[in-house]
Amino acid sequence: MGQPQRPIAAEHTIIALGRVLQTLREEDNVDVLIDTTIAYIKEQFDYNLVWIALYDRPKHTLVGKGGVAPDGDTKFLRKQVTLTPGGLLEQVVIEQRPLGVADLRLEPRAAEWQEIGKKFNIQGTVVLPIRYRDCFLGLLLFGSERWGYLLPGDAKARLLMVLGELGAVLYQQEVNLQQQQTKHLDQPILHLLENLRTLNNIDQKLKAVVQTTHQFVAPSRTNIYWFERQGRYFWCRMSNQLANIGRNNSQQQLAAGMTVQDLSEFYYALSVNQIVLIGDERSSLKSHFTAKVLERLQVRSLLAAPIMWQKELLGFLAVEANEPRIWTEADKNFVQSAAGLVSLVAPSETMDTTIKQIQEDAQLTSQVAQAIYHEDDLQATLRTCATKVLTRFAATRFLLLQYNPDLNSYQIIFQTQPQNRRPLTVSFSTLKDMDEQMLKSATTAVEVQKVEEDLRFFNWRPLLLEHGMRSLLVCNCAQEHTPNALLVIAHETNRGWASLDKELLWAVSQQIGVIVRQWQLNAEVEQQQKILHSIQRCLRILEKTQNDTTESGVERLERTAIEQIATVLHSPLAVLLSWSPGDNFAEIIPSVIHDSRFAVVTDQPVPIHTEAIIQWALAKDDYVCVYADDLPAETRKWLNGQNIGQVLAIALRTSADYAPTGVVLVADYRERYWTEQSLNATETLVTQLAWSRRQQQITKLLESSNQELRQLNWYKHRRLEEIQRTATQLFSQIEDLGIPSNELTQTRYKLLLRQLDHNTAAMTALVKLEQWQLHQSSETMPIASLLKRSLERVDNLLKQRKLWAGVHGLGQSATDTDSGNSGIFLKGLQSSSYPSSLAITGDIVKFELVLYELLIVACNRSQSGGRIDIWCRRLEEKLLEISITDHGMIEPPLLAALQHQIPKDILARSYLNQPPALHLLICQQLTQQLGGTLDFYQLPDYRVVSRLVLPLAD
């Protein structure tokens, strides 16, 4: 079966396509290429309007190259079309993809083409980009009188192939054209280098650079501007139109120069080594500054390259054009290279001056170092340093600042200024975080050329401008440390400094930092010595008055301490607001009033709970400082001195568990401030005063209590002696009567005599052995007998309050249960009811008194009709536990005090200072001394337990 025959129409189409592609590959002329493409489209496609345009990238316009018009007039197809933002054609240029319009007459984004569509009744329109490798080169626009996107798939494919080949040829021709038009830098630069090597004079070298640059770039004029730091302006040093322009020629200088103040952004761009380009519709500066630069130089285009040396701006090389011009890459590269060559040859002009300056700077740093280590007077040392620095830097003010943490500002500790200027009497506010970090990390002086425009040290700006300081050099005197000391030199005009100047001042500032540190250490040592002397004197006086507990002794202690506090703080008024625990009013104790204008009303009671200054002091752990304006009217009634500006208050504290018993008040002028060291010393003195007062109060209280106990003991002992004497007499009288004849009476008499003899013996032992201290004896008694005797002693109290008392678990071990033990009632108790094998050992009399005291408290605590249970249990290690439980009420503070959960303050009122808690505390302490323990606690069912543990006999 043979091959099918192709349609004749298809063969013609392929042949035509191949012919046009072959033509596009072989042709170099752009017009021929465009005409070939238009002819192919006209022949192969039925379109009424065809337009081909090429893209002018610098001007952002489309240049018409011809096409097909319905009326045959193709003049409008060769016009230049400016692209408008948001337009249909600009969209194709930006996106580089085909775009279709159903009706060109109704498309508002087509601008002029909409009018053409209306004129020729063009509806369906398609725009295809001509591109190569993402490079837009032009576009093809064709339209028809039919509505819609009239471009079938096969037709679109053929068009894209033709446009792709056209784009490749156009791209290659553009590349070739750019290569032909590109200027070669190597030969002019090499020639310029040779000239610079042979020339000796700097002005001749600058002239050669200007002439070579002018020949290569071909601008309207070429100039080299030099930067003058003292006045912060540029002056034209060399030009291709004029001879060498010297700085001494004032008229030419003003005509050809410009100040940094006028063109700040232009200057800052050059100072960071950026080339400034202002051309046709393009600028590296903002529009506002672009207009100012062009107006100042009276040009339309500018290309300026900075001349730098060691990161310092020496000037710039400028090529200027009177007409708008597009600067090529070759122009920019050559100007930048020429400026770099000037940077290399410029230092040779000032080489001798630089060497001499370096020698003088080295001598300056050496002299400053010698002054530091050989001068005893630090003020004279700083004066010598400041004179040399001001002379070297031609500055007007030398300021040495030190940060004062108490005032949160920088204070001037040394300054020099011209004779016609007054010294500064102000302080500088603290630095912002950014400025502080900048100074901390800086390794050279921080330069501020124009205070009114620079954002660094912004919060100092009003102060600096007010005192005529418009440019600064600021150094941190301790590198990599928080800037506590700053060296500032200032000038009355806007100016700049070279890197060498900044490095020199930095070296000097580090040496001056040693002076400041030594100065600070000397001041701190002197202040600490004064404070230490005051504290030592106060402590010696406190030691002398420590043991004097009389009223005059306490007053002398308080007055002495307050006087020392006033001495440390250098304040004219210091008083003490004193009270005792439980008081509602404080007493004003005036100690120091050096000025009658700082008086207080001493005879007015001060309410503790409502007085603001007292409550403020009690609420703070350290001290509180308030202005007199903030004090309430009630406080001003007694703190009424007319010159009182601020008040410092510190509470007398000893421990967190003890309530304060006073507040120290110190008053001074409003503008007065206290250093941190003096405040710390004051807190130490106040704390020592608080402990001394407390110790005196405790000593006084203990002496009083001891006196009462001595009296009580004397009274009880004398009574016991009298009882013992009387009992002895009675015993003697009974013996004198003889023994009755009746046998029964005789037996009763013997029994009474035996009991009387036993009591007399007990009282005799008490009088002899326990006159001033307790005596411990060692006896053994069955626990049953001990419990029976104790219950018999409280029998009447149990009956009065209708209480039930019982004993449980007597004689069982710790592993036995209590469920099988019934309560043993008081009535009918017999000794035989208790096992006789359990017995306790120790001072039985005192154990019996303790158990008796616990039963009395339990009875008094219980409600009428209640019950008291006595639980006995044998513990390990030969111990017996006796737990007395009752349903009575006990106050939680009392229970906490018995459990030692609350620290005992001897001066404060306590439950342990009076019965029954006092008796229970005595029993607790006595039991512990006798080898047992006594604890109190409450069960979850609110029963109160008194747990007594006693030693068992072997």
Side-chain angles (χ1 to χ4, degrees):
M1 187 173 179
Q3 292 290 337
Q5 297 292 326
R6 292 174 180 260
I8 297 176
E11 292 179 356
H12 288 304
T13 302
I14 295 175
I15 292 172
L17 177 61
R19 187 185 305 112
V20 72
L21 292 178
Q22 183 68 23
T23 303
L24 293 176
R25 293 190 191 100
E26 297 176 353
E27 186 60 49
D28 294 334
N29 190 287
V30 176
D31 294 333
V32 175
L33 292 172
I34 298 300
D35 293 340
T36 301
T37 304
I38 293 174
Y40 172 75
I41 295 173
K42 184 177 181 181
E43 177 185 352
Q44 295 295 323
F45 302 95
D46 183 17
Y47 294 111
N48 302 89
L49 177 63
V50 178
W51 181 54
I52 292 181
L54 298 183
Y55 179 56
D56 186 349
R57 190 171 292 103
K59 296 183 179 181
H60 195 50
T61 59
L62 291 173
V63 180
K65 292 297 183 179
V68 177
D71 58 355
D73 185 7
T74 60
K75 292 182 180 180
F76 72 95
L77 298 178
R78 295 187 177 275
K79 293 182 178 180
Q80 182 173 332
V81 178
T82 301
L83 297 174
T84 58
L88 185 69
L89 298 181
E90 187 186 51
Q91 182 178 350
V92 177
V93 173
I94 295 175
E95 298 180 358
Q96 299 187 21
R97 62 183 181 87
L99 184 64
V101 178
D103 192 343
L104 185 60
R105 301 171 302 176
L106 303 178
E107 180 57 51
R109 294 182 302 162
E112 297 179 358
W113 292 99
Q114 183 181 14
E115 299 298 328
I116 295 174
K118 293 178 180 181
K119 178 179 180 181
F120 298 110
N121 195 28
I122 301 299
Q123 298 187 45
T125 305
V126 177
V127 184
L128 297 176
I130 303 174
R131 54 189 293 273
Y132 182 77
R133 292 182 180 178
D134 295 332
C135 180
F136 186 82
L137 301 169
L139 56 80
L140 166 64
L141 182 146
F142 52 88
S144 174
E145 295 179 355
R146 290 166 295 179
W147 185 90
Y149 311 114
L150 306 176
L151 188 62
D154 59 338
K156 182 178 180 181
R158 285 182 285 138
L159 278 175
L160 292 179
M161 292 175 64
V162 173
L163 295 180
E165 190 65 32
L166 177 62
V169 177
L170 293 176
Y171 178 80
Q172 186 61 41
Q173 289 189 357
E174 184 175 343
V175 172
N176 295 337
L177 181 62
Q178 289 180 356
Q179 291 178 352
Q180 294 175 3
Q181 294 177 349
T182 300
K183 300 177 182 179
H184 297 285
L185 306 180
D186 50 357
Q187 292 299 327
I189 289 295
L190 291 175
H191 181 69
L192 178 59
L193 282 173
E194 184 65 22
N195 288 341
L196 295 178
R197 187 178 64 85
T198 58
L199 297 174
N200 296 325
N201 187 280
I202 182 64
D203 292 329
Q204 294 178 354
K205 295 179 180 180
L206 295 180
K207 184 177 181 180
V209 171
V210 168
Q211 290 177 350
T212 305
T213 303
H214 191 75
Q215 292 174 1
F216 184 86
V217 182
S220 300
R221 59 178 178 267
T222 303
N223 299 322
I224 290 181
Y225 290 87
W226 219 247
F227 180 57
E228 186 66 32
R229 296 188 176 278
Q230 186 68 32
R232 298 181 81 238
Y233 65 88
F234 293 98
W235 57 280
C236 186
R237 181 166 184 175
M238 187 63 63
S239 175
N240 69 306
Q241 296 181 350
L242 301 173
N244 179 28
I245 302 176
R247 280 179 290 182
N248 297 329
N249 193 336
S250 59
Q251 294 181 352
Q252 293 178 345
Q253 175 184 334
L254 294 177
M258 53 185 173
T259 63
V260 173
Q261 184 176 0
D262 296 335
L263 305 172
S264 57
E265 185 175 346
F266 177 74
Y267 162 73
Y268 290 125
L270 294 175
S271 63
V272 295
N273 200 20
Q274 290 183 0
I275 190 169
V276 176
L277 183 147
I278 302 176
D280 188 12
E281 300 182 359
R282 289 193 177 186
S283 175
S284 60
L285 303 178
K286 295 180 180 180
S287 58
H288 172 66
F289 290 99
T290 298
K292 291 184 66 175
V293 171
L294 295 179
E295 181 182 359
R296 183 66 183 84
L297 296 177
Q298 298 180 359
V299 295
R300 299 288 300 278
S301 301
L302 174 67
L303 183 60
I307 302 173
M308 307 289 293
W309 173 251
Q310 294 183 345
K311 299 181 181 181
E312 295 291 338
L313 181 64
L314 302 180
F316 65 93
L317 171 62
V319 291
E320 306 165 3
N322 295 328
E323 298 296 333
R325 175 170 173 173
I326 299 176
W327 303 106
T328 64
E329 288 296 326
D331 297 336
K332 292 189 291 184
N333 293 335
F334 190 89
V335 172
Q336 198 166 12
S337 301
L341 293 177
V342 176
S343 301
L344 295 177
V345 301
S348 62
E349 177 188 16
T350 58
M351 188 64 68
D352 296 337
T353 305
T354 303
I355 294 175
K356 182 179 180 181
Q357 188 65 64
I358 291 175
Q359 293 175 348
E360 293 178 355
D361 293 345
Q363 185 179 5
L364 172 61
T365 55
S366 175
Q367 291 174 350
V368 172
Q370 292 176 2
I372 291 175
Y373 292 106
H374 295 291
E375 288 283 352
D376 296 331
D377 187 358
L378 295 180
Q379 285 282 349
T381 302
L382 287 175
R383 193 175 300 108
T384 302
C385 296
T387 303
K388 296 180 181 298
V389 168
L390 289 180
T391 303
R392 165 63 178 82
F393 292 91
T396 56
R397 285 189 183 272
F398 179 99
L399 301 175
L400 189 58
L401 310 180
Q402 186 175 20
Y403 178 71
N404 190 324
D406 300 317
L407 299 178
N408 193 28
S409 62
Y410 284 91
Q411 304 296 312
I412 301 175
I413 60 176
F414 183 83
Q415 61 176 321
T416 58
Q417 62 284 327
Q419 296 181 354
N420 58 347
R421 296 290 185 271
R422 294 181 179 179
L424 302 182
T425 58
V426 296
S427 59
F428 289 75
S429 59
T430 182
L431 294 172
K432 300 296 183 182
D433 292 339
M434 294 184 61
D435 295 333
E436 183 175 335
Q437 292 300 323
M438 174 186 62
L439 289 173
K440 186 176 181 180
S441 59
T443 57
T444 184
V446 177
E447 178 186 24
V448 178
Q449 297 185 5
K450 193 172 183 180
V451 172
E452 54 266 33
E453 292 182 357
D454 205 311
L455 296 179
R456 293 172 297 180
F457 310 106
F458 181 78
N459 53 330
W460 289 3
R461 180 186 292 180
L463 178 62
L464 295 172
L465 294 178
E466 180 183 356
H467 293 86
M469 293 179 282
R470 285 176 168 75
S471 56
L472 305 172
L473 280 181
V474 184
C475 295
N476 179 13
C477 294
Q479 184 179 2
E480 297 182 357
H481 290 78
T482 302
N484 292 325
L486 299 177
L487 173 61
V488 180
I489 65 170
H491 202 276
E492 294 180 346
T493 61
N494 298 325
R495 61 159 296 178
W497 284 272
S499 297
L500 188 63
D501 298 338
K502 292 184 283 187
E503 293 173 359
L504 172 63
L505 186 65
W506 174 260
V508 172
S509 70
Q510 302 308 297
Q511 295 176 341
I512 291 180
V514 178
I515 300 177
V516 176
R517 181 60 180 165
Q518 184 65 34
W519 199 347
Q520 183 179 5
L521 291 176
N522 292 344
E524 290 178 356
V525 169
E526 183 179 356
Q527 185 178 14
Q528 289 175 358
Q529 288 178 348
K530 292 181 180 179
I531 293 175
L532 179 61
H533 176 72
S534 299
I535 293 178
Q536 289 176 344
R537 183 176 176 222
C538 182
L539 293 179
R540 285 195 297 266
I541 297 175
L542 292 177
E543 183 180 357
K544 293 179 181 179
T545 59
Q546 187 71 36
N547 298 324
D548 189 356
T549 58
T550 62
E551 292 295 334
S552 59
V554 174
E555 292 179 0
R556 185 163 55 254
L557 166 69
E558 295 171 344
R559 185 178 299 104
T560 301
I562 298 300
E563 288 176 354
Q564 293 304 314
I565 291 173
T567 302
V568 170
L569 293 178
H570 303 287
S571 297
L573 171 64
V575 298
L576 174 65
L577 302 179
S578 176
W579 64 86
S580 299
D583 292 348
N584 294 323
F585 292 90
E587 179 186 2
I588 302 176
I589 302 176
S591 300
V592 176
I593 302 179
H594 295 316
D595 192 337
S596 60
R597 294 171 297 180
F598 286 82
V600 294
V601 180
T602 59
D603 57 352
Q604 179 175 342
V606 180
I608 300 174
H609 302 290
T610 60
E611 175 52 54
I613 193 68
I614 294 179
Q615 294 303 315
W616 292 340
L618 296 180
K620 295 270 302 223
D621 293 334
D622 45 10
Y623 60 87
V624 60
C625 185
V626 295
Y627 289 109
D629 300 338
D630 299 329
L631 295 174
E634 294 298 326
T635 304
R636 295 296 291 175
K637 289 182 179 179
W638 58 273
L639 193 63
N640 58 358
Q642 59 180 353
N643 276 21
I644 295 178
Q646 57 178 325
V647 178
L648 179 72
I650 307 177
L652 293 179
R653 284 188 175 87
T654 52
S655 173
D657 299 324
Y658 306 146
T661 58
V663 171
V664 175
L665 291 183
V666 180
D668 213 319
Y669 297 97
R670 182 179 181 87
E671 62 275 6
R672 173 66 191 280
Y673 71 94
W674 294 286
T675 63
E676 192 68 25
Q677 289 182 337
S678 61
L679 291 175
N680 293 337
T682 300
E683 289 187 65
T684 302
L685 293 176
V686 170
T687 303
Q688 184 63 37
L689 172 62
W691 279 108
S692 299
R693 291 179 77 240
R694 176 177 175 80
Q695 187 63 35
Q696 282 191 336
Q697 292 172 349
I698 291 175
T699 302
K700 184 178 180 180
L701 178 62
L702 293 180
E703 289 180 352
S704 176
S705 300
N706 186 52
Q707 183 178 1
E708 293 178 359
L709 291 176
R710 288 172 181 265
Q711 293 175 355
L712 178 62
N713 188 66
W714 174 85
Y715 170 74
K716 292 173 66 176
H717 192 74
R718 289 294 181 264
R719 288 295 303 272
L720 287 173
E721 287 179 345
E722 180 65 21
I723 294 173
Q724 188 266 343
R725 186 185 63 80
T726 305
T728 302
Q729 292 178 355
L730 290 175
F731 182 75
S732 177
Q733 293 176 2
I734 291 175
E735 285 184 344
D736 293 341
L737 292 176
I739 300 175
S741 59
N742 187 326
E743 184 178 355
L744 178 62
T745 304
Q746 183 180 5
T747 302
R748 293 184 62 185
Y749 265 61
K750 290 181 180 181
L751 180 61
L752 291 174
L753 289 174
R754 190 180 302 112
Q755 293 177 351
L756 183 59
D757 182 61
H758 177 74
N759 291 336
T760 303
M763 286 185 292
T764 302
L766 176 65
V767 171
K768 290 182 178 181
L769 300 178
E770 297 181 314
Q771 181 176 0
W772 295 109
Q773 61 183 0
L774 297 176
H775 174 74
Q776 293 188 17
S777 62
S778 179
E779 300 172 288
T780 301
M781 174 179 284
I783 186 61
S785 300
L786 179 64
L787 292 175
K788 181 179 179 182
R789 292 177 58 174
S790 299
L791 290 173
E792 287 176 348
R793 295 182 68 175
V794 296
D795 183 38
N796 292 332
L797 185 59
L798 291 172
K799 292 179 180 178
Q800 292 175 2
R801 301 184 63 83
K802 298 180 182 180
L803 299 174
W804 181 91
V807 180
H808 307 270
L810 183 62
Q812 292 185 348
S813 64
T815 58
D816 294 339
T817 61
D818 296 329
S819 60
N821 299 319
S822 60
I824 301 177
F825 291 90
L826 176 63
K827 184 176 289 187
L829 268 176
Q830 300 295 332
S831 300
S832 60
S833 301
Y834 297 88
S836 59
S837 60
L838 287 178
I840 61 172
T841 183
D843 197 327
I844 301 301
V845 175
K846 294 182 176 61
F847 284 152
E848 183 179 351
L849 291 176
V850 170
L851 186 59
Y852 171 67
E853 186 70 32
L854 296 178
L855 290 174
I856 290 178
V857 173
C859 293
N860 293 330
R861 187 166 52 223
S862 302
Q863 296 181 356
S864 179
R867 59 181 292 169
I868 298 175
D869 295 295
I870 303 174
W871 302 87
C872 299
R873 185 174 62 164
R874 184 171 184 172
L875 302 178
E876 298 295 334
E877 299 180 358
K878 299 180 181 180
L879 296 176
L880 176 66
E881 178 189 74
I882 302 176
S883 299
I884 302 174
T885 62
D886 62 85
H887 294 271
M889 300 296 295
I890 186 171
E891 298 181 8
L894 173 59
L895 184 61
L898 293 174
Q899 293 175 346
H900 305 287
Q901 295 179 359
I902 301 177
K904 185 176 183 299
D905 187 357
I906 298 178
L907 298 179
R909 297 176 181 176
S910 173
Y911 287 93
L912 302 179
N913 293 338
Q914 55 188 352
L918 177 60
H919 294 170
L920 293 177
L921 179 63
I922 294 174
C923 292
Q924 196 175 42
Q925 296 171 347
L926 182 60
T927 303
Q928 187 175 4
Q929 294 175 4
L930 297 176
T933 58
L934 176 57
D935 300 313
F936 304 91
Y937 58 92
Q938 196 168 23
L939 296 176
D941 59 357
Y942 301 105
R943 285 185 297 165
V944 181
V945 179
S946 302
R947 182 176 178 269
L948 178 65
V949 179
L950 302 177
L952 285 173
D954 294 335

